Amino acid sequence: MTPEEYRQLIYDNLPHATLGTEAVALADGLGRTLAHDAIAKLDVPPFDNSAMDGFAVRGEDFRGEGPWEFAVVEDVAAGVVGQERSLGDAELREGGLPIAARIMTGAPVPKWADAVVKVEDTDAPRGASAMPRRVRIDARPKPQANVRFAGEDLTAGTRAIEAGTVLGPRALSALASIGYGEVEVRRKPRVAVLSTGAELTAPGKEPGPGMIPDSNSTLLATLVRKAGGEPTVVRTVADTAEEFGAALPVDVDLIVTSGGVSMGAFDPVKEYGLAHDWTFEKVTMQPGKPQGHGLAGDIPVIAVPGNPVSVAVSFRLFVRPFLTRLLGQPEDLVDAAPGCAMARAGASWRSSAGRRQFLPGKLMTGAGWQEDGGGAVVVPVHELGSGSHLVAAMHAADVLAVVEADVEAVAEGDAVKIIDF
Ligand SMILES: Nc1nc2c(c(=O)[nH]1)N[C@H]1C(S)=C(S)[C@@H](COP(=O)(O)OP(=O)(O)OC[C@H]3O[C@@H](n4cnc5c(N)ncnc54)[C@H](O)[C@@H]3O)O[C@H]1N2
Ligand code: MOO
């Protein structure tokens, strides 16, 4: 079964309705998923304003040859609105001179003005200074020079951000600018992480003979968090089906388990799952061949193999897309999707026959990067390639290089697909 077929099987077998919503303050919105389209409540910018510190003027007052002299009638600082004036010439002259207003960046351009001349193009003092009574301008400004118009970024009533967007700093600042102080986001999926294995020692403790540090719990819990979920239960379970069954929590949206799904004599997940109508498949991928899923009561369980790189790859291919659905995000771009980015192999490596390879790879920058204009170059992060046990090397990967099942060797220079990792 291919990874796509297996992912579809998970969707067919496990409930994955989009979760409910909650309101959060913008400052708490980082990484949360926007629940509804965000419609602008304000024009951005909200009013015509100056792009420069200088003088607001009327283009038509630049008659004949310069320089031109203006009477400065008021100061318009940011946050201040200048005096209303009728647009008749009488009000727009003083002492025989056309008028100008000293204006600061971001301040509203008076209705009567149609351009701003920056202070450097005048004889007025720069910086903190009293308002001059007169100003001399040497060059005629272009029509509408240095004016930023209301709504030129976005107009009120238009959709600024689509539902399903994961909110980053720029989206959150956009929300502030269009009139929001808080935002409706999807509830975080509560995820239980159960790592199985009698050999597991808590991180930081000296492992006894035959024991290894439990790295999968940390990996899965942080992957869950990074994908927008909340790892509410994180624990290890030794190698019996009874203990595993007893450890399945009831108040979560998803359970992810690692280990115990292959052919071993002590594979508790498989033993428990087979007794509870779970599905186990051999997926034609490397790493991550043995996979399982099922229901614990009505809670979906995705069981990934125990080898750490298999865990990370399985999460990327099956768990993250599942969370994406719970969060109402757009479909994740995965393995064989058309539109995957491509890179050239910067080294040669081997791939197992009959399984699509997902190789943790590093994108080369600096030397070798776009040397011949050919785009990204990817190299394995470890000389042992996509070995599923290479837990300590995979942190260096930027991407997974995807090598089709019928390819057994990648040569330097070959084109390969890449997906984010
Ligand atoms: N006879 C066969 N043996 C295996 C097959 C097979 O087809 N026939 N498949 C191999 C493949 S491929 C994989 S992948 C693994 C999957 O094994 P399990 O899911 O049953 O996982 P375990 O046996 O429990 O562990 C595998 C490996 O990963 C280490 N591990 C487990 N949990 C953790 C953890 N929390 N932190 C760090 N490392 C962990 C464990 O010590 C093992 O080395 O099966 C192959 N065998
Ligand atoms: O499918 Mo396994 O993860 O290659 O070792």
Side-chain angles (χ1 to χ4, degrees), residues 194-200 210 212-218 236 239 258-264 266-268 282 285-290 304-308 310-311 355 388-389 391:
L194 303 185
S195 301
T196 67
E199 73 277 35
L200 304 179
I212 57 160
D214 166 21
S215 59
N216 287 349
S217 294
T218 302
T236 56
D239 272 339
S258 81
V261 293
S262 63
M263 302 288 168
F266 312 99
D267 278 343
K282 289 195 174 89
M285 59 191 274
Q286 191 285 317
K289 178 176 66 172
V304 305
N307 279 310
S310 312
V311 172
R355 293 162 80 183
S388 60
H389 59 300
V391 58

Side-chain angles (χ1 to χ4, degrees), residues 330-352:
E331 203 70 0
D332 226 342
L333 186 64
V334 274
D335 42 338
C340 268
M342 303 293 293
R344 281 183 308 108
S348 52
W349 69 80
R350 302 207 55 81
S351 176
S352 15

